[in-house]
Amino acid sequence: MGQILDGKRIAESLRATVARAAADFTDRMGRPPGLEVVLVGEDPASSVYVRNKARACEAAGIRGVVHTLPASTSEQALIARVHALNEQPNVDGILVQLPVPAHIEADRVFDAVDAAKDVDGFHPLNAGLLFEGRAGLVPCTPWGCMRLLDAAQIEVAGKHAVVVGRSNIVGKPAAMLLLQRSATVTMAHSKTRNLPALCRDADILIAAVGRPEMIRGDWIKPGAVVLDVGINRNDESKLVGDVAFAEALEVAAFVTPVPGGVGPMTIACLLENTVRAAWMRAGLPPSELKL
Ligand code: NDP
C-alpha cells in the first residue's frame, strides 16, 4: 500500500514560504507584489479558479486584481488590455485565464504578455529558456509537480519518467523539467502505442491527459511515484483524476489525490512565480530571494 502525496499540505507550506518572500519584497520596495488576472466570459469553473487565485494572493500578501471581461471581448481588445497591464509598473504578474472563448487565439494573447510578467510561463521566450535549461518563469502546474517530488524527497536523476500528455502548459514543460533533473524521459500522447506497457516501465508517472481514471492500477510499476494532473468529472459528476486512485495506491509508492494533489500546488506556484517576477523586475539580488 502506497502513500498519499498530500499536495494540499505541501502547498500550504509553500504558500507560507511565499508569504515570507512577499513580505520581504514589500519591506524593500514599499509596495506588495501585484498579480492581475484577466477572465474573459463567465465559464463557471474558470470563475471559481480565478476567485481562488485572488483569495490565495490576499492570504500571501500579494495584491491580486481580477478583470472580468465579457465573452464577446475581441482578441484585439483583450490584447490591448494585456498591453496596458504590461505598462503598469506595479503589476508584476499577468495571467489570462484559460480557456478563452473560441474566437480568441490563446497563443497570440500569450505572445502579448511581457515575458518578465508572464507568471504562467506560457510566453515563447520563457518556453525557450526552459527548453535551454536557463532561468525563466516556469509553468505553474509542472513546477508544482517538481516541488511535490522534492517534498517527498524523491530522487529524479536516472529514473525513467513517463509523461502522458504533451500540451504546452503541462506535458511538454513537465518533460523538460524532468530532463533537466536528469531523468530519462518518455513523452506519451494519443498516438502512443501500447501505453499500458510503457506506463508500467515508469518510475515516475505524470498523467496530464484529461480522461477520467484512464490509467489503471495494472498500468503502474510497483513502487512508482504517480502524479495525477487530470481534473475530470466522472459519470457520477464526481471530481476525479486521470488515474484510478484506489487501484494506483495499491501498487505505487506515492500517488497524488484529486482533488488535493497537483491542483493546490498549481496555485501555490503561481504565487511563487508572482513574487519571483516582482523580485526580478525590481532588480533585487536573486540570491536574497528565499523561495
Ligand atoms: P490537453 O487537452 O491540452 O492535452 C491532453 C494531452 O493528452 C494531449 O497531449 C493528448 O494527446 C493526450 N491524450 C488524450 N487522450 C489520450 C489517450 N487516450 N492516451 C494518451 N494520451 C492522450 O490538456 P492539458 O494538458 O491542458 O490538461 C490535461 C489535464 O490536466 C486536464 O484534465 C486538465 O483539466 C488538467 N489540468 C490540471 C491542472 C491542475 O492544476 N491540476 C492545470 C492544467 C490542467 P495528443 O497531443 O496526441 O492529442
Side-chain angles (χ1 to χ4, degrees), residues 34-40 45-54 56-57 62-69 78 81-83 85-86 91-100 106 109-123 137-141 169 265-274 277:
L35 173 67
E36 310 264 332
V37 180
V38 183
L39 173 66
V40 186
S46 295
S47 304
V48 172
Y49 290 148
V50 162
R51 219 176 310 130
N52 287 344
K53 286 171 184 174
C57 279
I62 294 170
R63 189 182 55 84
V65 177
V66 176
H67 304 254
T68 307
L69 307 181
L78 176 58
R81 176 66 68 104
V82 167
H83 284 154
L85 294 172
N86 285 346
V91 173
D92 299 295
I94 302 169
L95 180 157
V96 178
Q97 182 65 43
L98 288 175
V100 287
V109 179
F110 299 147
D111 291 356
V113 174
D114 178 349
K117 299 186 177 190
D118 170 38
V119 285
D120 256 340
F122 296 163
H123 189 283
L137 290 163
V138 174
C140 304
T141 301
I169 65 173
M265 293 304 291
T266 296
I267 296 198
C269 290
L270 170 66
L271 303 176
E272 176 183 344
N273 273 354
T274 303

Side-chain angles (χ1 to χ4, degrees), residues 92-162:
D92 299 295
I94 302 169
L95 180 157
V96 178
Q97 182 65 43
L98 288 175
V100 287
H103 65 274
I104 296 175
E105 185 70 58
D107 280 349
R108 279 201 286 264
V109 179
F110 299 147
D111 291 356
V113 174
D114 178 349
K117 299 186 177 190
D118 170 38
V119 285
D120 256 340
F122 296 163
H123 189 283
L125 179 71
N126 284 315
L129 290 172
L130 177 59
F131 187 86
E132 293 189 353
R134 294 160 64 188
L137 290 163
V138 174
C140 304
T141 301
W143 185 238
C145 290
M146 299 310 289
R147 284 215 171 266
L148 280 171
L149 294 175
D150 288 342
Q153 295 181 309
I154 290 150
E155 176 66 44
V156 175
K159 297 277 175 66
H160 183 204
V162 173

Side-chain angles (χ1 to χ4, degrees), residues 155-178:
E155 176 66 44
V156 175
K159 297 277 175 66
H160 183 204
V162 173
V163 181
V164 191
R166 55 172 163 181
S167 71
N168 287 339
I169 65 173
V170 189
K172 277 187 208 161
M176 284 299 140
L177 288 166
L178 289 160

Side-chain angles (χ1 to χ4, degrees), residues 175-253:
M176 284 299 140
L177 288 166
L178 289 160
L179 185 61
Q180 246 172 49
R181 299 276 289 272
S182 300
T184 301
V185 183
T186 305
M187 296 181 70
H189 46 76
S190 66
K191 304 288 186 294
T192 297
R193 291 193 193 147
N194 207 355
L195 187 60
L198 184 66
C199 291
R200 261 193 302 274
D201 192 53
D203 303 305
I204 298 170
L205 179 62
I206 299 192
V209 180
R211 292 186 184 264
E213 299 176 320
M214 182 183 89
I215 293 177
R216 311 307 307 188
D218 63 358
W219 296 29
I220 293 168
K221 181 177 181 172
V225 178
V226 180
L227 304 183
D228 189 355
V229 177
I231 302 176
N232 317 288
R233 296 259 169 211
N234 69 7
D235 292 341
E236 291 101 54
S237 273
K238 191 174 159 243
L239 212 57
V240 295
D242 291 340
V243 177
F245 177 73
E247 292 177 20
L249 206 55
E250 293 287 324
V251 189

